[in-house]
Amino acid sequence: MEKFFFEDDNNRVTGKAVVTGKAKYAAEHEVEGVVYGVLVGSTIAKGSIIAIDTKAATKAPGVMKVITHENSYKVPGYDYGGNPAKGLTGGKGLQVFNGNTIYFAGQPIALVIADSYERAVYAASLIKAQYNQDVHATDFAEMGKSVIAVEGQRYKDNIRGEADAYKNAAVKLEAEYIVPNEVHNPMELHAVIAKWGADDKLTVWEKTQGVKSAQRSIAAAFKLKEDDVQVFAPFVGGGFGSALRTWPHSIAAVIGAKMVKKPLKLVLTREQMFQLVGYRPYTKQRIGIGADKDGKFIGITHEADGVTSMYEEFTEGTVNVSKILYQCQNVTTRYKLYPLNLSTPTWMRGPGEATGCFALECAIDELSYLLNIDPLELRLKNYAETDPERNRPYSSKFLKEAYQLGADKIGWKDRDPRPASMKQGEWQVGYGMSTGLFNAGRGNAKASAKLYADGTLIVQTAVSDSGPGTQTSMTMIAADMMGLPVNKVTFEYGDSSLPPGPTQGGSTTTSTLGSAVYGVCFALQNKIIDILKTDGTFNKTDLKVEDVSFTDGGVLLKSDPAKKRTYSDILSKAKLNQLEVSDDSKASEQMRNYSAYSYSVHFVKVLVHSKTGVIKFDKIVATADAGKIISPKTARSQMIGGVVGGIGMALMEEAVIDNRFGKYINNNFADYHVPVQADVPEIEVAFVNKPDPILNPIGAKGMGEIALIGFAAAVSNAVYHATGKRVRDLPITLDKIM
Ligand code: MOS
């Protein structure tokens, strides 16, 4: 494995299809005879439905069916007649049209199906429900007061060393940090087309980050054989975690298609995207951190209170960052979960770690001023050389190198470290930095490869690509392994009937699937060697893979480079039209003895207007130890995308609830702000780019989550450096600075 870098063709393989509109997203597939479904949401946040009047809607032009809990097809995988008050389920989603209980505002109470989208929208406006309304709980201020935390084993305190040891340290800091509800809001709305065929076979075009996981959950709900459900997701217009689950609207679409015996298309509105596809949960965190006078950490205590829905537990590793990011003997973590009348949260870019690193990385910055030690130096003083939680070595860790790269590029040592000391005209200048980490995992995956006599290669696996450029990186790995130009390689994906690939989540796709693609190409190389051993080409019956280079669309003998054969030659001489192999790729056993994390370092230079508090970015540097960089261009884009998401998290994003009604009041892009071009400065990205030698054969770690994790802390730290004002609750809006 020498290189994964194509100077000449470094572009996204699907780039042209995407920018010319040829790429088809879930709702864009043309399915003959399709009808349109529109969901009607509950107008109350808690209670039950007494009656739904569907008469006017049913009589409206073009309407075929109105489905409610009263007449819905009974989903075989649901538990009907269960007691909704029996408590929260772990990972069992809302069962749509099952019973009359209302858990949150916007919960689907009806599906209107018509021959056009507009007619369905109109008819949906005619649905009138009568409710028995209860007092709802949506106010975060009530957590720990009228809203009681979930009980159970999973919520036990976690104590390493001495409990709350920070309290006895010479220098200590205690502070509270808040991350609000944030909504993923990918550009593409969640959408599904469901079509029942003969023999109860089901085809689903779905916005999903996992075609296999979507296939499995739909098959389970409808008690079908997995093979009888085929899920397509060739293009996904962003997910950020919102497309990791199969949500109730998709099940509703499958129910609707079943009941009207026609293919049915359902697209959520932007407003429904705030209610039905998860969000990053509001989390209140308390950090206590103490150090000796030299800055050595004595103890860290990290407590978090998160929210979940009334019907399902959703937990994330918010406090875990404090166990693993720094060397510290005494770490106490406490995590509590409060059920509210909201839909279930879900993983959102850097789930848990993004929330946790905001608090921890701000607290360390605050502590650095108390100690009068440079914040970067303080981090280096407490650098973990081995995993402090599991007591084992890292398979690779190049965080120091990432710190150095970023510090050099932003000019860290040239700043005046005193708060509110630097100015440019009317602007106060601030520098801030932070660290992010996320587990670098590797799961199981299968891939198959077909090499054709015309010298083209097809690699197949059931994965979807929600934006990072998986098609491109997989194409590059295969092209590099086989010595083919990228345009001779086709990566086929986005179809659940292909060999099972991973769900695109948790920053593991490249590690997991890249290993499978590597493995399948390695198997192909061996198959070619087997042919060459016997066909007399190199007169070497003991020929091995190491003896040759796979290059220029063929094989070359290293000991005598004049001897070479193209794949076309080899296959035609062997009278083969194609060579086909598959590979089952599994996580390495050796990793049981190691820990693996990816790391990001964000450095920002902000300008804060001294009169208005407006915050602008002057420069952003994002560096990472993400192992070997497979596809430099899409990797850079991935980091930039994470930073842009981070700008939103730091300065803008907050889904605001009007607690009188238990509803979001900024559920649209006019009021829920995300960064636009003018908010984004030039972002410099640099990778350490050293392979992890143990995690997998390609040396890549993960990147999706770390691109964002820690960024908001860097901004808060920079705003403090600029102004002397510490903002601990996100987003950092100008009213909090004034
Ligand atoms: Mo990621 S939050 O696993 O899409």
Side-chain angles (χ1 to χ4, degrees):
M1 288 250 306
E2 303 95 71
K3 56 172 175 63
F4 277 137
F5 197 136
F6 290 82
E7 287 289 353
D8 54 330
D9 197 351
N10 194 12
N11 287 320
R12 206 172 264 266
V13 295
T14 53
K16 214 179 253 179
V18 170
V19 299
T20 56
K22 289 215 171 67
K24 284 214 191 312
Y25 295 83
E28 296 180 326
H29 295 277
E30 282 148 36
V31 178
E32 213 186 304
V34 76
V35 299
Y36 299 83
V38 167
L39 284 171
V40 180
S42 163
T43 56
I44 66 163
K46 186 181 183 189
S48 55
I49 305 165
I50 299 169
I52 303 188
D53 183 355
T54 60
K55 278 192 230 67
T58 307
K59 282 194 215 131
V63 172
M64 294 158 176
K65 192 95 193 164
V66 178
I67 300 170
T68 71
H69 69 284
E70 287 173 342
N71 66 346
S72 176
Y73 166 78
K74 297 272 181 262
V75 178
Y78 280 6
D79 32 63
Y80 287 90
N83 176 8
K86 73 176 181 273
L88 305 183
T89 64
K92 211 189 226 184
L94 179 82
Q95 302 194 335
V96 67
F97 308 138
N98 181 0
N100 65 346
T101 308
I102 299 299
Y103 302 98
F104 64 94
Q107 178 182 327
I109 60 165
L111 175 66
V112 178
I113 302 169
D115 59 3
S116 81
Y117 175 68
E118 290 76 8
R119 285 172 148 184
V121 169
Y122 172 67
S125 74
L126 304 174
I127 303 276
K128 294 279 176 289
Q130 262 185 287
Y131 302 95
N132 205 337
Q133 189 169 358
D134 286 343
V135 179
H136 59 256
T138 55
D139 190 349
F140 304 128
E142 290 302 306
M143 287 160 54
K145 295 177 189 162
S146 65
V147 178
I148 310 299
V150 176
E151 300 273 330
Q153 269 297 108
R154 296 167 71 194
Y155 304 98
K156 274 196 354 202
D157 298 353
N158 205 302
I159 297 163
R160 185 166 89 216
E162 189 190 327
D164 298 320
Y166 80 92
K167 287 184 175 166
N168 307 321
V171 181
K172 60 177 183 262
L173 174 104
E174 286 176 343
E176 185 175 274
Y177 303 87
I178 290 171
V179 174
N181 273 15
E182 295 163 6
V183 182
H184 310 71
N185 274 318
M187 182 129 44
E188 182 203 16
L189 298 164
H190 275 252
V192 56
I193 302 172
K195 180 186 174 187
W196 289 89
D199 312 329
D200 262 3
K201 291 208 165 105
L202 179 64
T203 308
V204 181
W205 291 265
E206 166 80 312
K207 178 190 177 87
T208 179
Q209 289 171 241
V211 281
K212 285 302 291 184
S213 53
Q215 177 196 40
R216 279 193 287 268
S217 44
I218 294 168
F222 291 89
K223 294 246 159 93
L224 298 169
K225 282 192 285 212
E226 260 178 43
D227 287 351
D228 287 347
V229 180
Q230 189 168 15
V231 175
F232 290 106
F235 287 91
V236 179
F240 316 124
S242 70
L244 283 167
R245 292 189 76 172
T246 300
W247 296 102
H249 71 270
S250 296
I251 302 298
V254 179
I255 293 173
K258 179 116 195 151
M259 290 181 73
V260 298
K261 299 189 168 62
K262 287 190 162 61
L264 184 140
K265 181 190 291 195
L266 195 161
V267 183
L268 295 187
T269 61
R270 186 57 66 181
E271 182 180 335
Q272 288 170 335
M273 296 278 285
F274 281 70
Q275 299 159 327
L276 299 179
V277 291
Y279 53 93
R280 188 193 300 286
Y282 171 96
T283 307
K284 186 189 279 184
Q285 300 176 78
R286 288 166 301 280
I287 300 265
I289 181 164
D292 66 19
K293 290 225 154 32
D294 297 329
K296 266 300 221 193
F297 294 162
I298 302 295
I300 304 174
T301 293
H302 191 160
E303 300 176 338
D305 299 337
V307 307
T308 191
S309 66
M310 287 288 178
Y311 50 92
E312 188 180 18
E313 277 183 33
F314 172 78
T315 61
E316 50 186 4
T318 309
V319 295
N320 292 346
V321 293
S322 290
K323 297 180 195 166
I324 50 187
L325 189 46
Y326 296 99
Q327 188 58 51
C328 182
Q329 272 191 327
N330 308 301
V331 177
T332 304
T333 57
R334 301 184 177 96
Y335 183 68
K336 286 197 167 63
L337 196 61
Y338 293 87
L340 294 174
N341 288 107
L342 297 171
S343 59
T344 308
T346 198
W347 304 282
M348 177 163 160
R349 206 152 191 180
E353 280 78 356
T355 302
C357 271
F358 170 63
L360 178 65
E361 288 290 293
C362 283
I364 285 172
D365 194 73
E366 298 198 47
L367 183 69
S368 77
Y369 288 96
L370 298 179
L371 287 160
N372 203 19
I373 296 176
D374 179 284
L376 175 54
E377 195 190 323
L378 181 59
R379 287 173 171 87
L380 291 169
K381 271 178 190 282
N382 295 282
Y383 194 83
E385 296 287 357
T386 54
D387 182 341
E389 178 70 6
R390 299 190 191 101
N391 284 316
R392 54 195 197 192
Y394 295 110
S395 55
S396 67
K397 179 174 180 178
F398 301 107
L399 173 57
K400 265 184 194 156
E401 289 81 346
Y403 281 138
Q404 194 61 51
L405 268 176
D408 291 347
K409 286 184 188 298
I410 200 90
W412 185 251
K413 67 173 174 20
D414 299 328
R415 83 201 194 289
D416 182 336
R418 294 168 304 155
S421 63
M422 298 180 73
K423 290 209 171 24
Q424 278 178 22
E426 291 197 326
W427 298 85
Q428 292 169 285
V429 178
Y431 288 79
M433 55 88 53
S434 70
T435 322
L437 91 168
F438 200 81
N439 182 59
R442 176 185 169 191
N444 303 337
K446 272 188 187 176
S448 68
K450 286 176 205 155
L451 180 67
Y452 292 93
D454 64 359
T456 58
L457 175 70
I458 293 180
V459 177
Q460 295 179 315
T461 187
V463 71
S464 60
D465 183 352
S466 56
T470 297
Q471 317 98 326
T472 306
S473 47
M474 297 306 129
T475 301
M476 287 172 118
I477 291 171
D480 192 56
M481 283 293 285
M482 300 312 297
L484 289 165
V486 284
N487 63 15
K488 297 275 184 199
V489 180
T490 307
F491 179 67
E492 292 183 351
Y493 67 102
D495 172 353
S496 64
S497 67
L498 297 171
T503 294
Q504 187 161 73
S507 300
T508 56
T509 311
T510 303
S511 171
T512 298
L513 193 59
S515 301
V517 171
Y518 172 89
V520 82
C521 290
F522 187 66
L524 196 54
Q525 290 180 347
N526 277 289
K527 215 158 180 172
I528 291 163
I529 293 294
D530 283 343
I531 297 174
L532 293 176
K533 272 198 250 190
T534 53
D535 80 349
T537 305
F538 299 143
N539 282 325
K540 248 173 102 73
T541 52
D542 63 344
L543 190 71
K544 291 186 187 60
V545 169
E546 306 84 82
D547 299 332
V548 302
S549 294
F550 295 86
T551 182
D552 291 332
V555 180
L556 167 159
L557 194 62
K558 283 180 184 164
S559 59
D560 184 1
K563 289 198 172 153
K564 51 184 185 183
R565 295 281 307 280
T566 64
Y567 297 134
S568 304
D569 280 354
I570 298 167
L571 265 68
S572 47
K573 190 169 174 197
K575 297 201 168 32
L576 290 167
N577 289 324
Q578 67 185 70
L579 270 183
E580 190 169 345
V581 288
S582 66
D583 182 64
D584 213 342
S585 166
K586 292 200 167 33
S588 107
E589 291 282 317
Q590 219 189 334
M591 275 308 291
R592 283 167 204 241
N593 305 318
Y594 293 90
S595 290
Y597 293 94
S598 287
Y599 297 89
S600 60
V601 179
H602 291 108
F603 282 92
V604 303
K605 180 185 175 194
V606 300
L607 304 175
V608 184
H609 197 269
S610 52
K611 296 203 172 67
T612 63
V614 163
I615 302 172
K616 288 200 306 195
F617 289 98
D618 189 67
K619 186 168 183 171
I620 295 175
V621 177
T623 68
D625 163 23
K628 176 81 185 163
I629 301 306
I630 303 295
S631 164
K633 194 169 189 173
T634 55
R636 177 176 172 273
S637 299
Q638 172 92 331
M639 288 297 286
I640 290 172
V643 166
V644 173
I647 293 173
M649 182 179 185
L651 301 185
M652 300 163 198
E653 294 188 52
E654 177 176 16
V656 180
I657 297 164
D658 183 334
N659 290 307
R660 292 172 301 170
F661 309 106
K663 290 178 186 167
Y664 290 111
I665 50 172
N666 59 342
N667 50 9
N668 57 75
F669 276 161
D671 298 315
Y672 184 96
H673 292 178
V674 295
V676 297
Q677 297 293 47
D679 300 313
V680 181
E682 195 185 326
I683 299 163
E684 197 173 345
V685 175
F687 297 109
V688 177
N689 197 12
K690 287 192 181 159
D692 185 300
I694 301 169
L695 180 63
N696 58 46
I698 59 170
K701 298 200 272 191
M703 197 182 294
E705 324 289 340
I706 54 161
L708 176 140
I709 295 170
F711 184 79
V715 179
S716 176
N717 299 343
V719 167
Y720 176 77
H721 179 235
T723 64
K725 175 101 193 175
R726 178 64 64 176
V727 181
R728 301 187 184 89
D729 55 330
L730 294 177
I732 306 166
T733 46
L734 49 85
D735 54 300
K736 295 173 186 171
I737 297 173
M738 296 290 285

